[in-house]
Amino acid sequence: MKNKYSFFALISRMKNITRWTLMRNNIVENIQEHSHMVAVIAHALAVIRRDIYGYDIDPGLAASIALFHDSSEIFTGDMPTPVKYFDNAIIEAYKRVESVASDKLLSALPAEMRNTYTSILSPTDECETKALVKAADTLAAYIKCIEELKTGNMDFRLAAEQSKDKLEKMEMPEVKYFIDNFLPAFELTLDEINFVFD
């Protein structure tokens, strides 16, 4: 028997979409794993913005938007960054494809649920939470590069440099706070983190 709504069945397929397809990966990552990490970081950035810098922002919304930020790739696959951002025409075309994919996903929900998921799948450009999710996405990519470099995979050297440069150009205090206070631990081994139960 065919199910009436396929939204969550489609979302579950995020685990089948591999990231970094043009790169040699020592640690294979899919978009479901990536989206989880982006959600964790976006939540943290929102907490930092709210609790450290005193702004009114909803960490739960940041985490929700981040969980679904790559959901259009269920239909498109993971477009390699050099292709996706090759020129303005491709950028605009890909945005249109993402929009169509989001609409397709939304149509797989009951009408009563669509408004809630529209604000999560397609946040407006003016949404400050969207900027935090973008920063979290870049931080997650940078962390992936660090992890690959730790395994000796130099294919990620340039991507690491580009991600770091992108983060610095954002000039976001919560991003700097995260980099200064949390990123150094990603360079360490588990023993160096001193994760020991007494």
Side-chain angles (χ1 to χ4, degrees):
M1 180 178 169
K2 186 177 178 182
N3 289 332
K4 193 168 183 182
Y5 298 108
S6 57
F7 180 85
F8 296 104
L10 288 167
I11 292 297
S12 75
R13 291 180 174 270
M14 290 173 71
K15 65 182 171 287
N16 301 327
I17 312 298
T18 304
R19 284 176 48 81
W20 304 92
T21 54
L22 294 180
M23 310 278 278
R24 177 175 59 86
N25 286 261
N26 287 341
I27 306 164
V28 177
E29 178 184 54
N30 63 51
I31 64 169
Q32 189 174 67
E33 294 164 328
H34 166 71
S35 295
H36 173 266
M37 192 62 184
V38 175
V40 168
I41 296 169
H43 185 272
L45 293 179
V47 169
I48 293 165
R49 179 174 282 189
R50 186 190 66 193
D51 297 352
I52 304 291
Y53 296 108
Y55 289 89
D56 182 24
I57 193 161
D58 180 1
L61 178 61
S64 296
I65 292 172
L67 277 173
F68 292 94
H69 81 283
D70 277 343
S71 59
S72 64
E73 292 182 7
I74 295 163
F75 301 109
T76 67
D78 180 48
M79 178 78 69
T81 298
V83 177
K84 189 174 180 180
Y85 297 104
F86 180 75
D87 63 22
N88 287 336
I90 292 176
I91 292 169
E92 289 305 313
Y94 193 73
K95 282 183 183 176
R96 175 73 183 126
V97 169
E98 286 180 319
S99 177
V100 169
S102 291
D103 290 346
K104 181 75 172 163
L105 276 171
L106 289 168
S107 73
L109 284 165
E112 298 84 355
M113 296 174 68
R114 289 181 194 155
N115 281 343
T116 297
Y117 280 92
T118 297
S119 63
I120 293 169
L121 289 173
S122 303
T124 63
D125 288 336
E126 295 77 31
C127 175
E128 71 173 321
T129 306
K130 185 176 176 180
L132 280 187
V133 172
K134 184 66 177 165
D137 191 26
T138 306
L139 274 164
Y142 186 45
I143 290 166
K144 161 69 173 172
C145 293
I146 289 170
E147 291 171 341
E148 287 289 340
L149 290 169
K150 279 172 58 178
T151 71
N153 185 358
M154 296 310 291
D155 282 5
F156 279 80
R157 183 181 48 79
L158 182 58
E161 291 170 7
Q162 290 170 338
S163 296
K164 185 177 182 184
D165 183 56
K166 198 172 174 184
L167 290 165
E168 289 170 355
K169 287 179 179 171
M170 288 178 181
E171 296 181 348
M172 296 171 70
E174 49 281 301
V175 170
K176 185 176 186 322
Y177 186 96
F178 188 95
I179 289 170
D180 291 346
N181 291 281
F182 298 109
L183 206 60
F186 286 92
E187 302 271 2
L188 305 176
T189 65
L190 186 60
D191 290 336
E192 289 169 331
I193 292 172
N194 196 23
F195 186 71
V196 176
F197 292 102
D198 293 326

